Amino acid sequence: TLIRSDAIAQADEVECGAFLSDWIERNPSFTALALIDASGEVLCSSMEADLPFDPAGRAWFAQLKSEKEFTVGQYAVGREGTPMVMAGQPVLDSQGAFKGAVAVGIDLRWLQFLAGRVDLPARTTVTALGSDGQVLVHHVAASETAPADPASDPVPSEALRMEMATRGTGTVRGLNDAQEPRAYGFHRTDSGDLVVAVGMPPYLEFARYGAALRDTLMAPLTILVLALIAAWWGAEWLITRWVRSLTRTTREVARGDLSVRSKV
């Protein structure tokens, strides 16, 4: 939308900054929006933008320039110390030549916000890893009885972090930094080298399967109980009560009362 907007092309640097700042306010997970020329120089950016130093010197910009498609970069630190990843959408002329890009800084702390909104079991961890296994963000899911505290469930061990950063996608079992057993599922972003790992104590896997089994069996068990009640009621109404009536009549006749009737 920004690339197709005539407002950017016609605005001066001050107006451009205000225009981009309006977009930042709509997307609180962004640290900055910037227009970058073909050489990597920042032409204008949102007000109070937090961008890493020298975008042109980073691999994501070279990849963006060569592949000419939306590119997500590696982990970076903004000038104010904000953990982020840079992403860019190229701007091409009518001949398809690279003219520059609209770049966005994505605050990695949004991952904690997102994980907090997902209904994860208590003590489940969400960890963002760089390409070298460095921990970028670490979130621990809370519960009503256990508040979120990263110290209560540390990050994966260094060996596990390196394995996940190298493999990119898969599942693995191992220890966290507190030497506690954990099961991790991890996945690398489609572009860039950011790996997001979700970990949990192994017993939580069985708790999940137990809950799934319970939910799966609940419906047929309920139907079975209702069927038994219906069978009992049907037998009582259609058969048993008439048999009891005939039995009572038989006993009365046996005692000599020939006037009794079963009314069946």
Side-chain angles (χ1 to χ4, degrees):
T1 303
L2 286 172
I3 289 173
R4 294 171 181 169
S5 173
D6 293 333
I8 287 185
Q10 297 173 359
D12 58 25
E13 184 174 352
V14 176
E15 292 176 343
C16 176
F19 180 77
L20 294 178
S21 295
D22 289 339
W23 283 79
I24 288 290
E25 292 178 1
R26 306 177 202 173
N27 299 277
S29 61
F30 294 168
T31 65
L33 272 172
L35 297 183
I36 302 178
D37 66 15
S39 64
E41 292 293 326
V42 177
L43 301 177
C44 78
S45 63
S46 54
M47 299 175 183
E48 301 179 357
D50 190 7
L51 288 167
F53 292 97
D54 188 21
R58 297 187 172 272
W60 74 271
F61 187 79
Q63 181 182 352
L64 175 70
K65 192 171 183 177
S66 63
E67 297 183 1
K68 299 177 183 177
E69 60 183 22
F70 179 76
T71 302
V72 180
Q74 297 182 0
Y75 167 70
V77 177
R79 297 172 187 177
E80 298 180 4
T82 305
M84 67 173 69
V85 291
M86 292 296 297
Q89 178 72 26
V91 178
L92 309 177
D93 62 18
S94 58
Q95 304 300 318
F98 181 80
K99 292 178 58 181
V102 174
V104 59
I106 305 172
D107 190 339
L108 275 179
R109 292 171 297 187
W110 70 267
L111 189 62
Q112 292 176 305
F113 172 74
L114 178 63
R117 297 184 62 182
V118 179
D119 186 19
L120 296 173
R123 298 195 66 193
T124 300
T125 61
V126 180
T127 309
L129 302 172
S131 59
D132 57 355
Q134 179 184 7
V135 177
L136 311 179
V137 176
H138 182 62
H139 172 81
V140 179
S143 68
E144 295 180 358
T145 58
D149 180 12
S152 67
D153 215 311
V155 299
S157 64
E158 183 177 0
L160 274 183
R161 297 198 303 269
M162 290 302 301
E163 181 179 352
M164 289 189 284
T166 302
R167 289 174 55 190
T169 299
T171 58
V172 66
R173 290 175 180 269
L175 303 176
N176 61 13
D177 273 353
Q179 300 302 301
E180 297 170 325
R182 290 292 182 270
Y184 292 96
F186 54 97
H187 188 73
R188 178 178 284 131
T189 53
D190 292 338
S191 55
D193 293 322
L194 183 68
V195 173
V196 178
V198 178
M200 64 176 63
Y203 68 83
L204 283 182
E205 294 181 274
F206 296 103
R208 179 182 60 181
Y209 298 144
L213 180 61
R214 179 197 62 209
D215 295 341
T216 301
L217 294 179
M218 187 62 67
L221 286 176
T222 301
I223 292 172
L224 177 61
V225 171
L226 292 176
L228 290 174
I229 293 174
W232 170 82
W233 183 87
E236 172 68 22
W237 180 258
L238 297 175
I239 301 173
T240 308
R241 69 190 186 109
W242 304 114
V243 172
R244 284 200 302 267
S245 178
L246 284 172
T247 303
R248 285 194 302 268
T249 304
T250 303
R251 290 196 186 104
E252 293 298 324
V253 171
R255 294 190 184 101
D257 185 0
L258 301 181
S259 63
V260 68
R261 296 292 182 268
S262 66
K263 300 181 181 178
V264 176

